[in-house]
Amino acid sequence: MIIAVYLLCGLTGFCFIGLLDRRERSVDPLLHLFLSPGIGLGLFAHLSFLALVVKDRFVPALVVGLSVPLAVGLLTAWGWSWRTARRPACAIERLERKDLWLAPVLSLIAWPAWIQAALYPLGGWDAWSSWNLKAKFIFLGQEHWKNLFDPALWRSSPHYPLLLPMMNAWGWSFTGKVASGIPMITAFVFTIATAGLLYASIRTLTQRITGLAAVLLIWTVPLFLLLSTSQYSDIVLAYFLLGGFCCLLNGVRKNSTALMALAGLCGGFLSFTKTEGLAAAVLLALLGLWHTHHHRVSFPDKINLLKWFLGGLVLGGVPMAIFHLVYTPPNITFINGFNSATDPTSWYRLKISLMFFFAELVSSKWNWGMMLLLWGLALNARRAFQKGLLIFPVFFLAYLAILFGYYLTNTYFEIVWWLQVTLHRVLFALLPTAALWVWLSFEPRGKSS
Amino acid sequence: MSLSADLRKYLPLLFWLPAGALILINAVNLSLSLVRAETLKKVIPFYFQGLKFAGLEDVFARVESVGYYTDRDLKKDEAQFTQAQYILAPVILDLNYANQDYILFDCTSEAIADRKIKEVGAIALRKNQFGVILARKIP
């Protein structure tokens, strides 16, 4: 049953992308394949959230009753478009024999990922103290589901967005009970889909299969594997951030409205993953506008691309807007250190944050993977900062500036403890996108732009 | 072709060679650590501390929150409290137990629990196999 639930997600995502891309056929087959589970899960999570808002309680039968017709409808429409266009509604002919190397590589990482996931079937600390706890409140809470925002549950960060809990609650509505297999498989699916998406991103932007090395480099780091299978929202953030960047670069390069819509949609989903996901989504939106504006296409084409990008962003961002306008409780784990007389901020906080950041980059807990990426950037510094790739360093700098600004401002937590439990997860979520940047910087000037 | 252009051709090797070595070393390390973890899993089965609070859900069918009292140091036992909250969700586990009708007593001994139950003016309703007592305040 659980496998069928995820197949339904993949199928729905696949058909949705296929229909979006039916005229242009600009989405490469592997990109299409690995965006499908994330887009499918994201769509169903949004549908479930809207049903929750309308009924003011989670009704599993309603969620199933909406999801299955949506999947069947999309499948029918996709099949119909295939029939009328007299060609596959997916650019499968672009798949090359050398891409088959991805299958053994993904199998190689799926094995340890599954063992790691099964070691902790209820996930890591934040899984049961926050993400899955929220999912249980939504799924079992009936009309009292909003108790998840109760200040007594401050340990679960009640102000955090609900994309991952909605995905798991959606899965439970098919099993009819809180099955621990659902969050575990959600994490596993995102782990493998992120790996596939990284390969597909590098493949489609460079035409090379060197992305296999990027996948192996990152997914053989035990800490990365542990965090990605811990049922945290960070892997979901990593996935949609990578998807957003890949679709944006491809969309602008290929002048494709479908890819721009997908970039926007990824940005919208990203905003509902975590609080820092919202910051990442805002930056992605701004950089999307900037990147498109500097692209050498006619003004009407630019407007058309932006229209689809913003359309996707709005569609994906609706639940986040509702959540912020209607539900989000005040952050009770926040003290503005600039205004507080009892817990004032100090330069020490910033100094220690930066020290932690640099120590994290060279830390052996990343098995030197982080160091190698920095080394790659140093070797290709000129290309890495060229115009076409400039959105990467600008994004990382702005994102880290926002984050360190928050570490500096919020004095609720003791800074050393806070950095110890959060900073590695922040970097974890950025790692696949950083790898994409490094791999693109190896391309000759102009080719990767 | 200038010397620097010649050298630049080999520049990527400075990345790919260490990358290849790192992948090999990390893959071996990862396999070994997972084999060790699998072996350990056979000896020490998975245990979730919150499971000691399982089996009380039927009482809480119409209850939104329940008090929690422990004589343990909560800072050291935070994992257990958080896991208990996960198991009992969607019921809120409230450390301000004095305000609640139902209270869970998770004490180091039964005598301590009994003393505390009397002190708050409650009667014990149920005790599970792990020694967790559910009590209800006498109105």
Side-chain angles (χ1 to χ4, degrees):
Chain A
M1 177 64 171
I2 293 179
I3 302 295
V5 168
Y6 288 89
L7 283 176
L8 186 75
C9 275
L11 191 69
T12 304
F14 195 86
C15 294
F16 178 82
I17 298 170
L19 283 169
L20 199 63
D21 191 39
R22 67 189 186 282
R23 287 204 186 93
E24 296 173 342
R25 290 166 60 85
S26 54
V27 183
D28 283 333
L30 285 173
L31 195 58
H32 193 151
L33 183 68
F34 291 108
L35 278 173
S36 299
I39 295 289
L41 271 167
L43 288 173
F44 284 135
H46 277 32
L47 190 71
S48 309
F49 183 72
L50 295 177
L52 176 74
V53 170
V54 170
K55 299 293 282 184
D56 201 23
R57 62 160 65 191
F58 192 84
V59 186
L62 175 67
V63 170
V64 173
L66 288 171
S67 303
V68 173
L70 176 73
V72 172
L74 282 171
L75 183 65
T76 312
W78 181 72
W80 185 257
S81 85
W82 184 343
R83 208 176 146 193
T84 49
R86 292 176 191 279
R87 59 180 182 178
C90 164
I92 197 129
E93 69 280 357
R94 264 180 260 155
L95 204 62
E96 289 180 38
R97 191 171 288 178
K98 57 187 175 183
D99 288 316
L100 292 177
W101 281 104
L102 183 62
V105 168
L106 284 189
S107 311
L108 268 178
I109 62 165
W111 171 69
W114 185 253
I115 290 178
Q116 185 70 62
L119 277 177
Y120 302 100
L122 294 173
W125 184 296
D126 272 17
W128 35 264
S129 80
S130 180
W131 303 111
N132 296 347
L133 179 76
K134 287 169 195 286
K136 273 190 88 175
F137 269 91
I138 292 166
F139 186 71
L140 299 173
Q142 302 282 340
E143 67 273 22
H144 304 300
W145 71 273
K146 287 194 282 283
N147 281 352
L148 73 90
F149 303 125
D150 194 294
L153 297 172
W154 64 269
R155 287 175 180 80
S156 72
S157 304
H159 61 286
Y160 265 32
L162 299 173
L163 185 67
L164 181 60
M166 286 316 307
M167 285 176 180
N168 290 329
W170 174 81
W172 288 337
S173 56
F174 283 84
T175 57
K177 59 177 183 178
V178 176
S180 61
I182 290 285
M184 195 170 117
I185 296 182
T186 302
F188 180 76
V189 165
F190 272 103
T191 303
I192 302 304
T194 311
L197 189 58
L198 178 60
Y199 171 80
S201 305
I202 295 169
R203 177 80 172 95
T204 184
L205 287 162
T206 68
Q207 308 305 318
R208 293 171 198 259
I209 60 162
T210 52
L212 291 174
V215 170
L216 283 169
L217 180 74
I218 293 177
W219 270 262
T220 53
V221 173
L223 179 63
F224 188 90
L225 207 63
L226 174 73
L227 289 173
S228 59
T229 53
S230 289
Q231 304 173 20
Y232 295 170
S233 198
D234 301 273
I235 186 67
V236 186
L237 195 158
Y239 175 86
F240 285 118
L241 183 64
L242 179 66
F245 265 95
C246 172
C247 291
L248 178 65
L249 289 173
N250 262 310
V252 170
R253 184 194 279 190
K254 294 179 176 173
N255 206 2
S256 156
T257 54
L259 281 161
M260 289 304 277
L262 287 171
L265 202 57
C266 283
F269 289 155
L270 187 62
S271 70
F272 204 35
T273 53
K274 288 185 87 179
T275 320
E276 57 261 45
L278 177 60
V282 170
L283 288 175
L284 186 71
L286 294 173
L287 288 169
L289 297 177
W290 180 61
H291 190 66
T292 314
H293 175 67
H294 283 91
H295 186 52
R296 284 184 208 142
V297 288
S298 65
F299 186 71
D301 277 348
K302 260 181 210 172
I303 295 294
N304 198 30
L305 288 179
L306 286 176
K307 204 170 70 187
W308 283 87
F309 177 61
L310 293 176
L313 205 60
V314 169
L315 181 69
V318 166
M320 184 61 198
I322 296 173
F323 179 75
H324 264 271
L325 290 171
V326 183
Y327 298 113
T328 189
N331 182 359
I332 46 180
T333 54
F334 180 80
I335 294 172
N336 186 344
F338 288 104
N339 282 341
S340 171
T342 48
D343 298 288
T345 191
S346 63
W347 286 115
Y348 167 77
R349 286 184 78 87
L350 186 63
K351 201 170 85 179
I352 204 90
S353 303
L354 290 174
M355 275 168 61
F356 253 82
F357 173 67
F358 289 114
E360 194 73 38
L361 290 183
V362 296
S363 167
S364 61
K365 69 181 172 193
W366 293 104
N367 290 47
W368 313 111
M370 205 77 91
M371 285 286 282
L372 191 79
L373 291 183
L374 289 172
W375 174 235
L377 281 181
L379 285 174
N380 302 306
R382 202 183 288 175
R383 284 182 211 152
F385 292 88
Q386 75 183 20
K387 202 173 153 193
L389 299 182
L390 207 55
I391 56 168
F392 287 99
V394 172
F395 172 82
F396 287 127
L397 278 175
Y399 186 71
L400 291 173
I402 291 170
L403 221 74
F404 286 118
Y406 190 62
Y407 280 129
L408 179 70
T409 310
N410 185 4
T411 53
Y412 183 88
F413 297 113
E414 199 274 312
I415 188 69
V416 173
W417 172 83
W418 197 17
L419 288 163
Q420 266 172 354
V421 297
T422 56
L423 190 59
H424 62 292
R425 278 186 278 156
V426 168
L427 295 178
F428 156 81
L430 297 178
L431 208 52
T433 309
L436 173 65
W437 180 27
V438 173
W439 256 251
L440 292 184
S441 74
F442 274 95
E443 283 308 290
R445 186 184 282 271
K447 206 177 168 189
S448 57
S449 58
Chain B
M1 194 181 279
S2 69
L3 183 65
S4 71
D6 260 348
L7 283 175
R8 196 164 293 159
K9 211 168 60 181
Y10 295 104
L11 211 59
L13 281 181
L14 292 176
F15 179 79
W16 296 115
L17 287 177
L22 206 59
I23 289 168
L24 270 178
I25 293 167
N26 285 349
V28 171
N29 280 340
L30 180 68
S31 309
L32 290 176
S33 70
L34 286 174
V35 167
R36 267 199 303 271
E38 274 286 273
T39 317
L40 210 63
K41 194 182 158 190
K42 281 173 193 156
V43 186
I44 310 165
F46 173 73
Y47 177 64
F48 192 70
Q49 285 175 288
L51 288 175
K52 100 182 209 188
F53 295 84
L56 299 164
E57 296 90 333
D58 55 318
V59 182
F60 301 137
R62 290 171 189 277
V63 178
E64 284 182 55
S65 60
V66 58
Y68 176 80
Y69 173 80
T70 183
D71 59 334
R72 294 190 179 91
D73 182 357
L74 204 62
K75 278 185 183 162
K76 284 183 189 159
D77 267 346
E78 202 178 343
Q80 181 176 291
F81 175 76
T82 323
Q83 291 187 359
Q85 174 61 82
Y86 174 70
I87 292 295
L88 295 172
V91 174
I92 296 172
L93 208 49
D94 191 356
L95 286 169
N96 293 320
Y97 58 90
N99 306 327
Q100 299 292 337
D101 280 344
Y102 288 94
I103 306 170
L104 282 172
F105 290 89
D106 173 27
C107 299
T108 44
S109 76
E110 206 173 322
I112 293 173
D114 286 342
R115 205 179 314 135
K116 195 69 195 174
I117 289 170
K118 278 185 192 138
E119 194 184 306
V120 298
I123 47 162
L125 294 179
R126 194 190 283 188
K127 181 183 161 191
N128 75 4
Q129 56 176 321
F130 303 104
V132 177
I133 299 171
L134 171 69
R136 186 173 190 180
K137 272 209 270 184
I138 304 161

